[in-house]
Amino acid sequence: MAEEEGPTVELRQRKKPKSPENKDSAKEVKVNDTSVPERTPKYVLFQRFAKIFIGCLAAVTSGMMYALYLSAYHERKFWFSNRQELEREITFQGDSAVYYSFYKDMLKAPSFERGVYELTHNNKTVSLKTINAVQQMSLYPELIASVLYQATGSNEIIEPMYFYIGIVFGLQGIYVTALFVTSWLMSGTWLAGMLTVAWFTINRVDTTRIEYSIPLRENWALPYFACQVAALTGYLKSNLNTYAERFCYLLMSASTYTFMMMWEYSHYLLFLQAVSLFLLDIFTVEQGDKIHEVYKIYIFSLFLGYLLQFENPALLVSPLLSFVSALMLTKCLQLNVKKGTFVAKIMKVINFYLECTLPVTLNMIIKMFVPHTENEHMLEFLEVKFGLNMTKNFTVNWLLCQESLQTPSQDFFLRLTQSSLLPFYILVLIICLLSMMQVIFRRLNGKSLKETVTIEDGRIGERPEIIYHIIHTILLGSLAMVLEGLKYIWTPYVCMLAAFGVCSPELWMTLFKWLRLRTVHPILLALILSMAVPTIIGLSLWKEFFPRLMTELTELQEFYDPDTVELMTWIKRQAPVAAVFAGSPQLMGAIKLCTGWVVTSLPLYNDDDLLMRNENIYQIYSKRSAEDIYKILTSYKANYLIVEDAICNEVATVRGCRVKDLLDIANGHVVFEEDDKLTYSKYGRFCHEVKINYSPYVNYFTRVYWNRSYFVYKINTVISFQS
């Protein structure tokens, strides 16, 4: 503090009369001031370098340790190294199996160019359908992984599957490192980064789905989004030098584009970020130019992604492009009018009106001229989800029953509370939000904001990067309260924001300013609490959760599914190469991966045609006649039908969410009248009846294989109507 007040004291001494005492005191101050600069710059430079070096080392170490932890946990959970290739592949469930199957196809291709061509003109996956798998399923991760595997000569060192999951685990390490850096940038101490990593790891069930579905698009994409957020946080800081600002801008540009290429839903998440930046632009005048530079990154990434994703129309009709383009256009239309005048106030109202209405108008115009396909099922799903409509549609009701699309359970909030994450997050959010509201009221009253905010000011809500993160976490949290699947995007930033808050002296100083604390020096107490509170939290987390994490790594678990292994083995040995299989989408994904045979449907939900196929194939579990089922299956050129006992005899975990119940409702075989369920159908449930082997079922279907879980029927090409 003496170093900062020294020059100010010297100026005041010069203004006073030149008495001998004043001259002596001025000389003393000058001596003190001139003696410090000889050592201070070197000491400060060394201290700053040591702080950055230790922080970077801690960040990189945290990321590496987390990646190694995931690898060890995955090995212990599935006993991976002692499994055969087929058993390893079965651990990939649902859409994860589909993604990894295309990685295998790329490695089998004679050349990279030929492999890409076969994926972009793929007719060996879904019967009677040629798809551009790279565009429709965002297969750029698989393309990159296959190139790296062959270009680095890893085929002589490591198996393809280990290489693939190793890349994903490495990206998770980068994910954790980026969260570490973001919390560090906001709080000024790498202690916040350590606490972020601890909370992230402890709440792993709610922060990532990596342990269940490794090849998911979000596991490839979200690490790049975390890097983008870290770069954006640094870019928005007020006291940033030119080189650091340029580095943050370049990193933000590269990570934004990469994120957009990795995940088909990335532009929706960037749209939420753009809305957060728009609101930040309203609250702070100084950051307007920087924010519009970020808008340019969005537009560039969208158009470059559009070209490299085979002219994907979804990027052109995305709300992100319309929103950002409208804001850029509105800025160009702004006039230089003197502030405070009546004309200036009118122009503000007009600009705000344009900013709210122009994005919607522009999006409607783009959709008129750009050929695209609306996902009608998703639109209807949103209407039903928010209570705007009711439906008997199987696909919509089936989506509503998916755990990731339901509201979060109480267990989710209980887990966050037990790890102390949720209480501290709420505390930090309230303090920052109230401080931000103070800033808004100052702006409305015409008071100017400080360019740089110090600890003494106690105004954490004036920092632009803090305002952005508060708005962003509120938007993400609001959506996560509606759709549980979005918690995997929101919870990591809850960890980061809570850790930043408890480690930030400015946040504690803001609280003390409101409490008007006078018994103890507030700055000293804020500095003490910013170190003591996270230390206490860290020690309590270590004591309670570290033994659990070690137990997970020491317990040897086993993934045991012999029935599926037997089914895949039979298909590879007995079924013709040109055979087409029909069954549930999840099982079809596994068949595509493990055998390479053509299937009738896939567990993907971003295509209306595939959703319709899934609904039609699921009719094997409905109360339909053998003839109806036969016509449906032959319309897709299916040769074999697989009936799963787990679906046919399903026990509902959620009321009304069994597949067969949803089918009965959609087909009108169940009617609800005054709380009474009335069932009516001329036919029994197909999956039960076909097992009995009597006419007319045996006329259409011949059982060729079965075990405890699966029944395989050959679809007869020549129908013999015998009683």
Side-chain angles (χ1 to χ4, degrees):
M1 296 302 296
E3 293 175 13
E4 295 179 1
E5 294 178 358
T8 306
V9 174
E10 182 184 351
L11 290 173
R12 289 179 180 175
Q13 294 292 344
R14 288 175 181 173
K15 291 181 181 178
K16 291 184 178 181
K18 295 183 179 180
S19 62
E21 295 179 1
N22 292 337
K23 288 181 180 180
D24 293 338
S25 61
K27 289 179 181 179
E28 290 177 5
V29 172
K30 281 189 174 185
V31 170
N32 292 335
D33 289 343
T34 53
S35 61
V36 174
E38 294 180 1
R39 298 179 181 178
T40 300
K42 294 181 180 179
Y43 173 74
V44 171
L45 188 63
F46 175 77
Q47 187 181 33
R48 186 176 299 174
F49 174 79
K51 181 180 177 182
I52 293 174
F53 176 77
I54 295 173
C56 291
L57 184 63
V60 174
T61 304
S62 298
M64 292 177 61
M65 292 297 293
Y66 181 71
L68 292 173
Y69 166 75
L70 287 179
S71 179
Y73 177 75
H74 183 261
E75 170 64 27
R76 304 299 287 183
K77 182 176 181 179
F78 295 106
W79 207 10
F80 219 59
S81 59
N82 295 296
R83 293 284 182 186
Q84 297 179 356
E85 183 71 14
L86 178 60
E87 293 176 305
R88 293 175 186 171
E89 291 176 347
I90 290 174
T91 61
F92 294 148
Q93 301 288 322
D95 51 350
S96 297
V98 180
Y99 296 131
Y100 185 77
S101 69
F102 289 116
Y103 168 70
K104 283 181 59 179
D105 292 343
M106 282 297 300
L107 295 180
K108 292 177 182 177
S111 65
F112 177 76
E113 294 78 8
R114 183 62 188 175
V116 173
Y117 179 82
E118 290 179 353
L119 291 186
T120 54
H121 302 79
N122 187 283
N123 58 1
K124 298 179 181 179
T125 299
V126 183
S127 61
L128 301 179
K129 189 176 177 67
T130 300
I131 59 175
N132 184 340
V134 178
Q135 181 196 70
Q136 188 166 342
M137 304 178 196
S138 299
L139 295 181
Y140 286 94
E142 283 66 36
L143 297 182
I144 295 171
S146 63
V147 169
L148 290 176
Y149 183 73
Q150 294 174 334
T152 57
S154 300
N155 51 348
E156 300 176 357
I157 304 171
I158 188 173
E159 296 179 35
M161 182 173 289
Y162 278 105
F163 184 83
Y164 184 90
I165 64 177
I167 293 178
V168 182
F169 288 155
L171 285 174
Q172 298 307 301
I174 295 174
Y175 192 2
V176 166
T177 301
L179 293 173
F180 184 111
V181 172
T182 305
S183 188
W184 180 14
L185 287 171
M186 294 172 65
S187 63
T189 171
W190 52 265
L191 190 62
M194 298 293 290
L195 188 57
T196 300
V197 175
W199 265 327
F200 183 92
T201 307
I202 290 168
N203 295 282
R204 190 184 69 253
V205 177
D206 301 306
T207 55
T208 177
R209 289 195 285 186
I210 185 70
E211 62 186 73
Y212 302 108
S213 304
I214 293 175
L216 282 180
R217 300 301 84 180
E218 63 192 59
N219 293 332
W220 286 89
L222 290 181
Y224 295 103
F225 182 66
C227 292
Q228 192 255 18
V229 171
L232 179 60
T233 303
Y235 185 68
L236 291 175
K237 291 177 72 71
S238 300
N239 55 345
L240 201 65
N241 61 56
T242 305
Y243 295 105
E245 183 177 312
R246 191 173 300 169
F247 172 76
C248 289
Y249 184 83
L250 293 175
L251 177 59
M252 186 167 44
S253 302
S255 54
T256 300
Y257 170 70
T258 309
F259 173 59
M260 194 170 293
M261 296 295 288
M262 292 290 174
W263 196 18
E264 66 266 28
Y265 299 118
S266 58
H267 54 90
Y268 293 110
L269 192 53
L270 291 175
F271 170 70
L272 287 180
Q273 188 182 73
V275 173
S276 304
L277 291 173
F278 166 67
L279 296 175
L280 171 64
D281 192 17
I282 294 175
F283 299 148
T284 58
V285 179
E286 295 81 4
Q287 299 295 324
D289 293 336
K290 284 187 176 182
I291 291 172
H292 281 80
E293 288 298 319
V294 180
Y295 291 163
K296 293 177 183 177
I297 293 176
Y298 291 150
I299 294 176
F300 174 77
S301 299
L302 281 168
F303 280 109
L304 189 60
Y306 169 75
L307 295 175
L308 295 182
Q309 288 188 11
F310 307 93
E311 300 182 356
N312 187 0
L315 296 179
L316 293 184
V317 299
S318 69
L320 175 64
L321 180 61
S322 304
F323 183 72
V324 172
S325 301
L327 294 180
M328 297 288 288
L329 184 60
T330 305
K331 182 176 176 62
C332 295
L333 296 176
Q334 287 181 356
L335 301 176
N336 293 324
V337 183
K338 187 177 180 181
K339 295 182 179 180
T341 62
F342 177 75
V343 177
K345 294 179 180 179
I346 294 296
M347 289 303 300
K348 279 187 176 181
V349 175
I350 294 174
N351 285 331
F352 183 76
Y353 174 77
L354 288 175
E355 289 170 343
C356 292
T357 58
L358 195 56
V360 179
T361 306
L362 193 58
N363 188 257
M364 294 175 64
I365 294 173
I366 293 175
K367 287 183 176 180
M368 289 173 60
F369 292 97
V370 176
H372 67 287
T373 55
E374 293 281 1
N375 196 327
E376 297 178 359
H377 286 103
M378 292 307 298
L379 295 176
E380 190 174 355
F381 162 79
L382 293 175
E383 290 180 358
V384 177
K385 180 69 177 178
F386 293 106
L388 303 176
N389 196 0
M390 294 183 66
T391 183
K392 293 183 179 181
N393 183 278
F394 169 80
T395 301
V396 174
N397 288 325
W398 184 82
L399 290 172
L400 287 169
C401 287
Q402 299 305 299
E403 184 179 354
S404 61
L405 298 178
Q406 295 180 359
T407 54
S409 62
Q410 293 182 353
D411 293 339
F412 166 62
F413 300 103
L414 183 61
R415 287 191 297 268
L416 297 189
T417 304
Q418 288 175 341
S419 64
S420 72
L421 174 59
L422 190 60
F424 282 108
Y425 168 74
I426 293 174
L427 174 65
V428 172
L429 183 64
I430 290 174
I431 295 174
C432 292
L433 192 59
L434 291 176
S435 181
M436 194 177 79
M437 296 301 292
Q438 284 185 328
V439 174
I440 296 173
F441 284 124
R442 289 195 189 98
R443 284 288 312 277
L444 293 176
N445 293 330
K447 296 181 181 179
S448 59
L449 304 179
K450 297 182 67 175
E451 291 185 3
T452 56
V453 182
T454 60
I455 300 177
E456 296 90 336
D457 297 326
R459 298 179 184 176
I460 198 167
E462 285 192 14
R463 289 171 54 186
E465 69 273 22
I466 304 300
I467 297 175
Y468 157 72
H469 277 287
I470 293 300
I471 298 172
H472 198 196
T473 191
I474 290 175
L475 291 177
L476 285 176
S478 301
L479 292 176
M481 295 304 102
V482 180
L483 303 173
E484 185 173 4
L486 294 177
K487 72 178 182 181
Y488 299 107
I489 301 175
W490 178 60
T491 311
Y493 295 97
V494 171
C495 300
M496 181 268 297
L497 198 67
F500 136 74
V502 297
C503 297
S504 173
E506 290 181 59
L507 184 130
W508 294 110
M509 191 63 195
T510 303
L511 180 61
F512 296 152
K513 280 278 187 178
W514 295 340
L515 299 177
R516 297 183 180 179
L517 187 66
R518 296 179 181 177
T519 54
V520 184
H521 199 289
I523 298 178
L524 179 62
L525 185 59
L527 291 171
I528 293 174
L529 287 178
S530 65
M531 292 183 290
V533 173
T535 302
I536 294 171
I537 295 172
L539 291 175
S540 64
L541 293 177
W542 178 278
K543 181 179 179 181
E544 183 176 356
F545 292 98
F546 183 74
R548 300 184 190 180
L549 296 177
M550 291 298 101
T551 303
E552 290 179 350
L553 295 181
T554 54
E555 287 183 352
L556 184 62
Q557 305 177 44
E558 187 175 1
F559 182 81
Y560 187 66
D561 191 2
D563 292 342
T564 305
V565 173
E566 291 174 6
L567 173 65
M568 300 303 168
T569 304
W570 180 87
I571 292 174
K572 295 171 74 173
R573 292 177 179 176
Q574 302 295 330
V577 177
V580 177
F581 282 84
S584 70
Q586 288 72 22
L587 181 60
M588 294 302 100
I591 289 176
K592 170 66 177 75
L593 168 59
C594 299
T595 68
W597 264 245
V598 179
V599 295
T600 55
S601 59
L602 290 175
L604 301 172
Y605 314 117
N606 58 354
D607 182 87
D608 278 340
D609 180 62
L610 287 176
L611 287 172
M612 183 59 65
R613 281 173 173 254
N614 294 344
E615 180 177 351
N616 290 336
I617 300 300
Y618 265 132
Q619 295 297 326
I620 61 178
Y621 302 103
S622 68
K623 296 180 178 181
R624 300 279 293 271
S625 67
E627 183 180 0
D628 289 345
I629 302 299
Y630 180 83
K631 288 180 179 179
I632 291 172
L633 296 176
T634 53
S635 67
Y636 295 118
K637 300 298 182 183
N639 304 118
Y640 290 89
L641 167 66
I642 303 178
V643 175
E644 297 174 64
D645 199 56
I647 300 178
C648 192
N649 299 313
E650 183 180 4
V651 178
T653 54
V654 180
R655 184 182 178 184
C657 277
R658 295 186 302 180
V659 169
K660 52 188 179 182
D661 293 337
L662 298 176
L663 289 167
D664 290 344
I665 294 172
N667 296 335
H669 296 157
V670 172
V671 181
F672 293 93
E673 292 183 2
E674 299 180 358
D675 297 331
D676 291 331
K677 186 172 75 170
L678 305 178
T679 305
Y680 171 76
S681 177
K682 292 192 299 181
Y683 307 100
R685 197 167 301 281
F686 176 83
C687 62
H688 290 311
E689 301 295 326
V690 74
K691 297 176 185 177
I692 304 175
N693 285 335
Y694 69 91
S695 183
Y697 296 92
V698 293
N699 302 328
Y700 296 100
F701 308 97
T702 302
R703 187 164 64 188
V704 292
Y705 173 81
W706 72 93
N707 58 29
R708 291 176 301 176
S709 302
Y710 304 103
F711 295 81
V712 182
Y713 297 89
K714 189 176 187 303
I715 302 172
N716 298 332
T717 53
V718 179
I719 304 173
S720 174
F721 289 95
Q722 298 176 1
S723 58

